Amino acid sequence: MGACRMRPEQAIRRARRLRKKPTRAEEFFWSLVRDKALDGLRFRRQVPIDFLVFDFA
């Protein structure tokens, strides 16, 4: 299984694109956890870490 590795700046651009066009499931999830609504925890969406983009952290 080969992974396509991105440079960090490419990961940042991809994360921004993903944030602008969420899926319906993502919109629903974020509506539930917005404004620390889940036990006061804070979540970040589409976080670029090195060459990967994590859906939430």
Side-chain angles (χ1 to χ4, degrees):
M1 171 173 81
C4 177
R5 294 182 67 128
M6 297 182 245
R7 294 189 312 266
E9 59 273 6
Q10 290 174 307
I12 291 169
R13 283 194 302 269
R14 180 167 170 75
R16 287 179 180 155
R17 272 195 320 261
L18 290 169
R19 270 184 243 132
K20 288 180 181 181
K21 295 181 111 181
T23 64
R24 286 177 47 194
E26 288 173 323
E27 286 177 350
F28 177 71
F29 172 79
W30 289 111
S31 73
L32 296 176
V33 300
R34 183 173 288 122
D35 299 325
K36 299 183 183 179
L38 186 64
D39 291 332
L41 297 173
R42 181 176 177 261
F43 290 86
R44 295 178 60 193
R45 34 174 133 185
Q46 282 82 25
V47 180
I49 298 175
D50 196 20
F51 58 88
L52 299 171
V53 177
F54 292 85
D55 282 336
F56 63 91

